[in-house]
Amino acid sequence: MSDHPPFAVTVDVVLLTIRAGELSALVVRRGEAPYRGRWALPGGFVRPDEDLDAAAARELREETGLRHGFHLEQLRTYGAPRRDPRMRTVTVAYLALAPDLTSPVASTDAAEAEWRPVDALLSARPGLAFDHGRILGDALERARAKLEYSPLAAAFCPEEFTIGELRRVYETVWGTAIDPRNFHRKVSKTPGFLVPTGETTTRDGGRPAQLFRRGSLDLLNPPLTRG
Amino acid sequence: MSDHPPFAVTVDVVLLTIRAGELSALVVRRGEAPYRGRWALPGGFVRPDEDLDAAAARELREETGLRHGFHLEQLRTYGAPRRDPRMRTVTVAYLALAPDLTSPVASTDAAEAEWRPVDALLSARPGLAFDHGRILGDALERARAKLEYSPLAAAFCPEEFTIGELRRVYETVWGTAIDPRNFHRKVSKTPGFLVPTGETTTRDGGRPAQLFRRGSLDLLNPPLTRG
DNA sequence: TCAAAAGTGTTAATTCTACACCCATGT
DNA sequence: ACATGGGTGTAGAATTAACACTTTTGA
């Protein structure tokens, strides 16, 4: 009880978005051993004076330039003794959801980061570096589960979005079809979920659709420090 | 990205049970500074060659003698820079649920461990040592939420239990009254939840009640390593 | 015989689900 | 005009909630 062996502590971020109708994750190509050339989750060491949530937000910012408009939550911590062959490392994994970032892909980090469909990443052989395949699988499971009971899906949408766009998020993440009429009724009747902007758009074709913003009383960017 | 400052990594366990009609947690009295004399969650350092789940199970065993019949899951990881004034420590918190352990309270550990009602622990001033008050609060929230959509409540019951006893678990954890008739129908019609033993008991008074065991296809002791 | 808890039946309110139908735009 | 997606109405199914009522024990 008196020895405290040193560990390296890292954060890894599973950043999910929807691109071209596919649920995709941001991955980086590893340039050095181990797992050289394989895809890995973006992440890095927690700094000496940095909280875990702050470290995850920093990694996300370094890879994408994102400073706000995303959802970030702690997922789970992984610490199997030999998960990193170089040293004893414990990683705190985070789940992040963001809209399709076609504009601000400006990565300040040197590593080449790319979007890949989650399905492809999970089924590819060889898989992701380290235990990142399992982390990605857990993140996918969490994301799917949370859509059911939280207004989280709107985190995948741009600032202003239509109900049809929001529905396509659910359909993409779950891989199922949803009745557009019932979905419309359900979300538009949930108080505080959607805030109408008063504007309309025809970008999805057909009759003009109302534009909404995420409700302010939701779970997006929940207090990172809950006092 | 090339420095990896050393961290101490610990596990802390929130072990909940129901004693005398109150939701209670196992806490230990701290014998040394910091927070000398205050209640803390049982926990300790992760060993150099030990997985996180294994460390949590070991701590639980050392404090209670429990080897099986409990539920154990990772809760969340806490790593604020100055959460332990002695050194930079990251703790992986676990949530454990167990039946009332009147018999096997045999602690192999030296620290004096006691059961305390969760309400009292959360409202007492001064509160728990370190950030353990917040951890306990998060654990309570998780436990309440999981009762809603998982068969977890049975983890608080002894090996054989009646439906009324199971109902009292929900009523204690949530602090609400539940209609006994509807509750009976609901749980007895959920396939795989309860396994009838064929025995009955009158220990709760009134008409004899059927005894059940936890269904085997449930979430208790889920695979600690999910392959 | 009475209190207490187990267990069943019934009904009304509510919530899902499927689908008919109309609306307002671009082409 | 017509295809396309947006949006409303409605009827039946399924689920929930409230509560009357019977059963089987201990005291």
Side-chain angles (χ1 to χ4, degrees):
Chain A
M1 187 64 144
S2 51
D3 61 321
H4 19 93
F7 287 69
V9 176
T10 60
V11 290
D12 288 313
V13 178
V14 179
L15 173 58
L16 300 179
T17 199
I18 293 178
R19 284 170 64 89
E22 284 193 297
L23 184 66
S24 305
L26 190 72
V27 286
V28 297
R29 180 87 72 176
R30 281 189 61 78
E32 327 89 40
Y35 300 102
R36 179 179 184 128
R38 302 267 282 277
W39 293 116
L41 297 172
F45 293 102
V46 177
R47 294 181 177 165
D49 212 49
E50 186 178 49
D51 198 356
L52 301 176
D53 292 345
R58 173 178 55 76
E59 289 292 339
L60 193 56
R61 181 164 20 89
E62 288 175 359
E63 293 293 343
T64 64
L66 270 180
R67 288 181 170 277
H68 50 264
F70 57 86
H71 169 83
L72 182 64
E73 68 177 47
Q74 192 180 305
L75 174 63
R76 188 190 163 82
T77 297
Y78 301 82
R82 267 164 284 278
R83 58 176 296 279
D84 184 329
R86 294 166 297 182
M87 71 192 107
R88 185 68 205 271
T89 303
V90 164
T91 194
V92 185
Y94 280 77
L95 170 64
L97 310 182
D100 188 359
L101 310 159
T102 38
S103 351
V105 218
S107 168
T108 52
D109 204 344
E112 52 160 336
E114 284 187 30
W115 293 102
R116 294 279 150 168
V118 170
D119 293 347
L121 287 172
L122 287 176
S123 59
R125 303 294 153 193
L128 294 176
F130 306 105
D131 50 3
H132 290 187
R134 184 185 162 196
I135 297 175
L136 179 60
D138 289 350
L140 179 61
E141 191 182 325
R142 168 83 68 92
R144 281 188 177 138
K146 282 207 106 170
L147 289 207
E148 282 195 58
Y149 61 91
S150 82
L152 207 56
F156 284 119
C157 293
E159 216 184 323
E160 301 196 343
F161 55 91
T162 69
I163 292 183
E165 288 160 3
L166 183 62
R167 175 173 47 82
R168 259 156 250 141
V169 167
Y170 283 88
E171 293 179 330
T172 301
V173 174
W174 284 338
T176 65
I178 298 172
D179 185 295
R181 291 81 58 106
N182 292 335
F183 182 82
H184 185 282
R185 215 189 328 265
K186 178 154 190 168
V187 299
S188 61
K189 278 190 180 169
T190 301
F193 187 9
L194 297 179
V195 177
T197 66
E199 312 280 310
T200 63
T201 182
T202 60
R203 65 190 180 210
D204 299 322
R207 169 176 166 180
Q210 278 189 265
L211 280 168
F212 296 87
R213 267 189 257 276
R214 302 185 259 273
S216 45
L217 303 171
D218 65 7
L219 303 179
L220 294 184
N221 277 326
L224 290 180
T225 55
R226 270 186 292 172
Chain B
M1 190 64 144
S2 52
D3 61 322
H4 19 94
F7 287 70
V9 176
T10 60
V11 290
D12 287 314
V13 178
V14 178
L15 173 57
L16 300 179
T17 199
I18 294 177
R19 285 169 63 89
E22 283 194 296
L23 185 65
S24 306
L26 191 72
V27 285
V28 297
R29 179 86 73 178
R30 281 189 62 79
E32 326 91 40
Y35 300 102
R36 179 177 185 131
R38 303 267 281 277
W39 292 116
L41 297 173
F45 293 100
V46 177
R47 293 180 178 166
D49 213 50
E50 187 177 48
D51 198 356
L52 302 175
D53 292 346
R58 172 177 56 75
E59 289 292 339
L60 193 55
R61 181 164 18 90
E62 287 175 358
E63 292 293 343
T64 64
L66 271 180
R67 289 181 170 276
H68 49 264
F70 56 87
H71 169 84
L72 182 63
E73 68 177 47
Q74 193 181 305
L75 174 64
R76 186 188 164 81
T77 297
Y78 302 82
R82 267 163 284 279
R83 58 176 297 279
D84 184 330
R86 295 166 296 183
M87 72 193 105
R88 184 70 204 269
T89 303
V90 164
T91 194
V92 185
Y94 279 78
L95 170 64
L97 310 182
D100 189 359
L101 310 159
T102 37
S103 351
V105 218
S107 168
T108 52
D109 204 345
E112 53 161 335
E114 284 188 30
W115 293 103
R116 294 280 150 167
V118 170
D119 293 347
L121 287 171
L122 286 177
S123 59
R125 303 293 152 190
L128 295 176
F130 306 106
D131 50 3
H132 291 188
R134 184 186 163 192
I135 297 176
L136 178 60
D138 290 349
L140 178 61
E141 190 182 326
R142 167 84 67 94
R144 282 188 176 139
K146 282 206 109 172
L147 289 207
E148 282 195 59
Y149 61 90
S150 83
L152 207 56
F156 285 119
C157 294
E159 215 183 325
E160 301 196 343
F161 55 91
T162 69
I163 292 182
E165 288 160 2
L166 183 62
R167 175 172 48 81
R168 260 157 250 140
V169 168
Y170 284 88
E171 294 179 328
T172 301
V173 175
W174 284 339
T176 65
I178 299 172
D179 185 294
R181 292 83 56 108
N182 292 335
F183 182 83
H184 185 284
R185 214 190 328 265
K186 178 154 190 170
V187 298
S188 62
K189 277 189 180 169
T190 301
F193 187 8
L194 297 178
V195 177
T197 66
E199 312 279 309
T200 64
T201 181
T202 60
R203 66 189 180 208
D204 299 323
R207 168 175 168 179
Q210 278 188 262
L211 280 168
F212 296 88
R213 267 189 255 277
R214 302 186 259 271
S216 45
L217 303 171
D218 65 8
L219 304 179
L220 294 185
N221 277 329
L224 289 180
T225 55
R226 268 187 292 174

